[in-house]
Amino acid sequence: MAERHAPVVSLRNVSKTFGGERALANVDLTVARGEIHGLLGENGSGKSTLIRILAGFHAPDRGGELEVNGRRVKLPLAPGQFRALGMAFVHQDLALIPSLTVVENLRIGELGTRQNWRLSWARERSRARRSFAAFDLDLDPAANVADLRPTDRALLAIVRAVEEIRAVAGFGLLVLDEPTVFLPQSGKERLFRLVREIAATRASVLFVSHDLDEVREITDRVTVLRDGRVRETVRTPDATAERLVELIIGHQLQTLSAASGAVRQRPAISIRRLSGRLLGAASFDVHEGEVLGVTGLLGAGFEEIPYHLVGARRAAGGELQIRGRSYALTAMTPARAILAGIALLPADRQRDGTVGSLSVGDNVMLPVIDRYKGRWGLQRRRMRTEAVRVLHRFDVRPPEPEMPFQALSGGNQQKALLAKWLQTRPALLLLHEPTQGVDIGARRQIFRRIRSAAVDGAAVVCVSSDYEQLAMICDRVLVFAHGRIGRELEGAELTKARITEQCYRLGDVRPAGDAAPDPQGSR
């Protein structure tokens, strides 16, 4: 028993400062041998920063200490050093390479450090099958990861991490960061069996999740972070869901009141029975001049909404009514969405919002490029003049249309993308995490631009997990849970604390008789 309770990983007095802002403050965290330890906290509480320090991505402030299996380890960790220490990570993006096969992804960490590159792929495939069989998985080692179901991708990433732990002598630590977000119930059950098997071998698991049901089911102890500090570490059997929510949000739960039923003007936008991989027949309206917030816990389905509405991801069903026309969302494409008057600012602006090889001016003018087609080609001089005007109007600094887009700061990139789409005067403006990676000055400017777009007649949908942001700029907020709208907040209820409370309250309880949407419903 004493051996089981010995620490595998112990962090003491760990702090991290970014540009004068304290992300972590004197954090202590100990994970015992054979323990499944939960890590909870709302967005911005410091969970990701702590994990990145363990993985060697961030260097902590001076004074922090780390012990692994009773041995003092110097911080910061060198890149990849966590493997030699017996730690492995499964991040939210899984870190798989879709163009490679299952076996290549499974062995990629090992091959990267191997001195002898000669190997038998037949032997590696056989070895992979044995690994999968040990976890009751039926994966083809020769299959491309791009062809796997989301469930199998997640389980592949987890098996790879477990194999990395087992390759190192001593007792390992597996860190799972939101591992169940895209898993169906059957996938979660398989994952939990796997996690328990790992703990039974005296390895340990740090389990990061927003889902209180999962945390209470699978963990032995839970540490709660709030505002970069450890608020409490509790034995899971001793903690009710209400107690955990209070620790996460910092106050007692309020009594629920009935949802608002205020009479509204005729909607400008109507979405009916929108369904997808994580969504189950969601219907709602957006009014002209309104900023509607959409939120929930990770995996609740709300994150899919903007991409289904523009056809970037195929919806399983649903209808959109806009400007007097109806569109089947199963047949929506980005080109049709633009013609219908829909604009989207995606969360990943580098990957999904820009053309990296084009200049600032060309990126900004792409949606209206037809206006500058002349008899002999593009009217470049006139297009540049207008680009300069637009950049000045939206305070993009520097207002140089020829410079590479990536040379702009995050805040100026986002202002440029707002300029790109607002000049089209969209009927529906979709925003996904509009101030992600943006400094406070640009953040305020973006808020003003969003409100100005609404005043000019756009219906705005702001999809975000930043509850403070939603409370600041929205007229209403829809809280999603388990693929459906669970709550509508407006008026005096539009506060960060109230939105946070509802996300956790609704995410912790599935309505009786309500089946979850099929996670494999669309690909």
Side-chain angles (χ1 to χ4, degrees):
M1 182 63 69
E3 183 186 72
R4 178 177 174 81
H5 290 286
V8 169
V9 169
S10 181
L11 286 162
R12 288 189 292 272
N13 196 38
V14 172
S15 300
K16 179 61 180 176
T17 305
F18 294 102
E21 293 291 327
R22 241 345 176 29
L24 292 175
N26 309 114
V27 168
D28 293 343
L29 175 69
T30 298
V31 182
R33 183 171 301 157
E35 179 184 32
I36 305 171
H37 194 111
L39 184 61
L40 287 172
E42 61 180 305
N43 297 306
S45 63
K47 302 189 304 296
S48 295
T49 302
L50 189 64
I51 290 170
R52 287 168 182 159
I53 287 172
L54 272 177
F57 288 112
H58 287 329
D61 299 344
R62 295 186 64 178
E65 297 179 1
L66 170 64
E67 284 188 3
V68 179
N69 288 315
R71 182 168 61 89
R72 181 82 173 268
V73 179
K74 184 179 179 181
L75 289 172
L77 296 182
Q81 186 182 356
F82 65 85
R83 290 191 181 92
L85 295 172
M87 293 188 285
F89 296 79
V90 179
H91 300 286
Q92 290 181 38
D93 63 3
L94 302 181
L96 298 174
I97 302 175
S99 59
L100 297 183
T101 65
V102 167
V103 68
E104 288 167 340
N105 272 277
L106 187 64
R107 303 297 179 214
I108 194 165
E110 178 184 332
L111 295 176
T113 58
R114 204 172 193 171
Q115 293 184 356
N116 181 6
W117 282 81
R118 297 183 63 183
L119 74 161
S120 166
W121 283 111
R123 187 178 299 114
E124 291 298 329
R125 285 191 290 271
S126 177
R127 181 181 164 201
R129 289 189 186 95
R130 290 195 297 272
S131 297
F132 298 145
F135 297 111
D136 194 26
L137 298 180
D138 183 19
L139 292 179
D140 179 3
N144 282 329
V145 166
D147 297 328
L148 296 183
R149 296 176 302 168
T151 303
D152 290 334
R153 293 182 197 177
L155 292 171
L156 170 61
I158 292 163
V159 170
R160 180 176 66 182
V162 173
E163 292 286 294
E164 289 177 357
I165 287 177
R166 290 179 171 175
V168 179
F171 304 100
L173 175 69
L174 173 63
V175 180
L176 300 175
D177 187 3
E178 298 288 352
T180 64
V181 168
F182 300 114
L183 292 181
Q185 186 59 36
S186 61
K188 292 179 184 180
E189 291 169 358
R190 294 170 79 187
L191 170 63
F192 285 1
R193 286 198 301 271
L194 179 56
V195 167
R196 291 187 180 104
E197 288 175 13
I198 293 167
T201 67
R202 296 186 300 168
S204 305
V205 179
L206 184 60
F207 188 87
V208 185
S209 177
H210 282 298
D211 192 314
L212 299 188
D213 264 348
E214 294 176 0
V215 170
R216 292 170 66 210
E217 177 182 349
I218 195 66
T219 65
D220 302 304
R221 289 191 300 155
V222 177
T223 294
V224 178
L225 292 179
R226 188 171 76 247
D227 300 325
R229 298 180 181 273
V230 172
R231 297 302 166 176
E232 197 167 333
T233 297
V234 297
R235 289 183 66 252
T236 308
D238 300 336
T240 64
E242 290 76 14
R243 175 59 178 153
L244 291 175
V245 171
E246 289 171 13
L247 287 172
I248 290 167
I249 66 179
H251 64 79
Q252 292 185 343
L253 293 175
Q254 302 172 15
T255 302
L256 288 176
S257 58
S260 172
V263 177
R264 300 181 180 278
Q265 63 185 17
R266 185 174 178 179
I269 311 293
S270 292
I271 292 97
R272 294 289 173 264
R273 302 175 301 282
L274 172 59
S275 58
R277 185 162 55 88
L278 294 173
L279 281 170
S283 298
F284 57 93
D285 298 327
V286 195
H287 302 83
E288 184 176 311
E290 179 182 34
V291 180
L292 175 69
V294 179
T295 192
L297 298 182
L298 285 174
F302 72 98
E303 314 98 314
E304 293 193 334
I305 289 172
Y307 303 99
H308 286 323
L309 293 180
V310 300
R313 296 177 192 164
R314 181 64 58 86
E319 181 184 43
L320 169 68
Q321 297 174 4
I322 181 172
R323 287 178 173 170
R325 295 190 61 182
S326 294
Y327 297 85
L329 289 171
T330 54
M332 182 62 79
T333 65
R336 287 175 184 159
I338 292 171
L339 291 174
I342 305 172
L344 167 66
L345 266 72
D348 191 336
R349 56 179 170 263
Q350 297 285 358
R351 186 189 68 187
D352 301 327
T354 64
V355 180
S357 59
L358 296 183
S359 66
V360 172
D362 285 346
N363 269 287
V364 168
M365 302 307 288
L366 270 177
V368 294
I369 199 167
D370 285 348
R371 300 176 187 175
Y372 302 96
K373 287 183 178 178
R375 186 174 181 181
W376 308 109
L378 280 179
Q379 299 172 344
R380 278 283 182 182
R381 182 175 297 179
R382 191 164 70 91
M383 192 167 79
R384 183 191 185 282
T385 299
E386 180 60 16
V388 171
R389 190 188 70 80
V390 170
L391 294 175
H392 275 292
R393 180 183 165 205
F394 282 81
D395 195 30
V396 178
R397 302 180 186 181
E400 298 292 341
E402 286 85 11
M403 72 182 301
F405 191 87
Q406 277 72 18
L408 295 177
S409 68
N412 282 295
Q413 287 182 4
Q414 198 71 336
K415 286 189 287 183
L417 291 181
L418 268 175
K420 169 183 175 177
W421 289 111
L422 289 182
Q423 66 180 318
T424 68
R425 301 187 66 84
L428 175 60
L429 176 62
L430 302 170
L431 308 167
H432 188 196
E433 305 293 359
T435 59
Q436 188 168 262
V438 170
D439 64 75
I440 190 168
R443 183 183 175 100
R444 291 175 179 171
Q445 288 182 301
I446 289 169
F447 286 167
R448 287 198 293 269
R449 287 295 177 187
I450 292 170
R451 178 51 62 184
S452 178
V455 170
D456 288 344
V460 181
V461 176
C462 182
V463 178
S464 179
S465 55
D466 185 333
Y467 308 139
E468 182 176 23
Q469 169 180 273
L470 294 172
M472 290 177 65
I473 65 173
C474 295
D475 301 298
R476 283 188 299 145
V477 170
L478 302 179
V479 181
F480 274 69
H482 310 295
R484 291 172 171 81
I485 298 170
R487 182 88 176 149
E488 177 181 314
L489 302 175
E490 61 181 328
E493 289 195 305
L494 273 185
T495 65
K496 176 186 176 183
R498 189 65 164 162
I499 296 169
T500 304
E501 175 188 316
Q502 290 303 303
C503 286
Y504 279 96
R505 180 188 285 273
L506 293 167
D508 189 47
V509 179
R510 187 184 299 282
D514 189 22
D518 180 7
Q520 307 301 334
S522 67
R523 292 290 300 272

